Amino acid sequence: MAKEVDIFGAALQDFIDNKYTEDIVVHSSIAEDDIIPIPYLFRPFEEMPVIEQRALSLSKGTILDIGSGAGSHSLWLQEQGLDVTGIDISEGAVTLSRKRGLKKAVHSNILEHKGTYDTLLLLMNGTGIFERISKIDDYLKHLKTLLNKDGQILIDGSDIAFMFEDEDGGFWMDTHRDYYGEVMYSMSYKGEQSSSFDWLYLDYERLAWYAQKNELNCELILEGDHYEYLAKLTLT
Ligand SMILES: C[S@@+](CC[C@H](N)C(=O)[O-])C[C@H]1O[C@@H](n2cnc3c(N)ncnc32)[C@H](O)[C@@H]1O
């Protein structure tokens, strides 16, 4: 089988090698093509959304930054003297975050990772990693195994219902999907295209419902001004 192209890793690496000439193009099942501006993945604390800043300020103890990307959140936490490990499924992203100075960085799918932490951080639509509604239970069960007794999961998400409303108040949805927030993406960059992958946008009420189902407390910490939120999950 051909090796999956590491679009994320390649684009991040180009950025620090001064070869940044274009952004990642994102093709989705629900909207026109969009871009991920590469410099955004290198954002310093001052340029992070308030939701992310709050999540970082609430992080404590041993921290696992899940889907750490270029390592921007992890590096800020490390600078504050905290014990943080970044983990990412993109090998290129992990290599790059180490080059940027991150001391602990693991290349793995989160579902295959073992260990225990005081804080699990999932940021930049952290619920995306859950892929689909039908997989939330698997992810939450696994995240619970990674939590110390008094630990916390800080996760951001977004309700994208507004994308399916038409001008006269109607609501449409792809009937092949279980829920409107299930999106299929692929990414292209400098002539290469990734395979399609699932990414989940989850409204807060559904997250809270799945948390309760999996015996986790769920608390709404902060809401943004465009349907996004930060939630804290703890063991019951
Ligand atoms: C939207 S990016 C966010 C990156 C970073 N947290 C930030 O805010 O800049 C999502 C990241 O999650 C990683 N990822 C996706 N699924 C993953 C999984 N199952 N396990 C570990 N990392 C994953 C991707 O490779 C990507 O770097």
Side-chain angles (χ1 to χ4, degrees):
M1 202 176 92
K3 195 169 184 282
E4 174 61 48
V5 283
D6 183 1
I7 298 274
F8 232 76
L12 295 175
Q13 187 61 50
D14 278 356
F15 188 79
I16 58 159
D17 288 344
N18 289 322
K19 291 184 195 155
Y20 168 53
T21 52
E22 58 188 85
D23 290 310
I24 296 173
V25 179
V26 182
H27 317 281
S28 93
S29 54
I30 55 159
E32 304 280 292
D33 286 358
D34 201 355
I35 56 154
I36 303 180
I38 316 289
Y40 184 73
L41 300 166
F42 291 82
R43 57 201 179 281
F45 184 84
E46 309 74 56
E47 288 167 27
M48 289 175 192
V50 175
I51 278 180
E52 295 182 3
Q53 293 180 345
R54 177 72 73 84
L56 293 182
S57 62
L58 290 172
S59 298
K60 56 180 186 199
T62 51
I63 303 160
L64 185 66
D65 178 11
I66 300 173
S68 46
S72 302
H73 298 118
S74 293
L75 283 164
W76 187 84
L77 292 164
Q78 186 175 277
E79 278 160 26
Q80 311 311 304
L82 290 159
D83 177 352
V84 59
T85 303
I87 181 167
D88 205 286
I89 203 167
S90 155
E91 188 171 11
V94 171
T95 305
L96 172 102
S97 59
R98 285 193 191 118
K99 277 191 199 158
R100 290 182 80 201
L102 186 60
K103 292 184 198 136
K104 296 184 185 177
V106 179
H107 170 222
S108 173
N109 185 328
I110 187 59
L111 289 175
E112 283 153 26
H113 186 64
K114 294 193 174 67
T116 52
Y117 302 86
D118 298 310
T119 301
L120 304 179
L121 207 52
L122 297 101
L123 294 180
M124 196 172 162
N125 192 52
T127 67
I129 283 181
F130 298 165
E131 302 177 68
R132 299 193 71 147
I133 282 277
S134 58
K135 293 194 181 174
I136 298 178
D137 289 334
D138 293 344
Y139 277 95
L140 288 181
K141 278 191 182 78
H142 183 65
L143 293 185
K144 280 175 75 176
T145 69
L146 298 174
L147 264 191
N148 283 331
K149 194 165 69 63
D150 295 320
Q152 56 174 350
I153 302 171
L154 297 169
I155 182 165
D156 67 354
S158 181
D159 183 353
I160 60 165
F162 69 91
M163 293 187 74
F164 303 90
E165 279 157 18
D166 51 35
E167 283 122 36
D168 40 357
F171 187 86
W172 61 275
M173 187 191 128
D174 179 348
T175 48
H176 294 97
R177 306 254 120 188
D178 291 332
Y179 166 65
Y180 60 79
E182 292 186 332
V183 180
M184 196 178 261
Y185 279 128
S186 72
M187 297 187 289
S188 51
Y189 177 72
K190 294 194 175 172
E192 302 236 57
Q193 183 155 358
S194 74
S195 320
S196 299
F197 59 93
D198 291 312
W199 190 249
L200 183 66
Y201 292 90
L202 194 60
D203 63 279
Y204 175 74
E205 283 69 30
R206 268 183 189 73
L207 174 67
W209 189 86
Y210 278 97
Q212 192 184 27
K213 181 173 176 228
N214 285 281
E215 295 175 338
L216 285 158
N217 294 315
C218 187
E219 185 188 336
L220 181 62
I221 301 288
L222 194 65
E223 280 183 295
D225 45 22
H226 202 64
Y227 309 105
E228 68 277 25
Y229 61 86
L230 174 67
K232 177 165 107 172
L233 312 187
T234 49
L235 297 171
T236 51

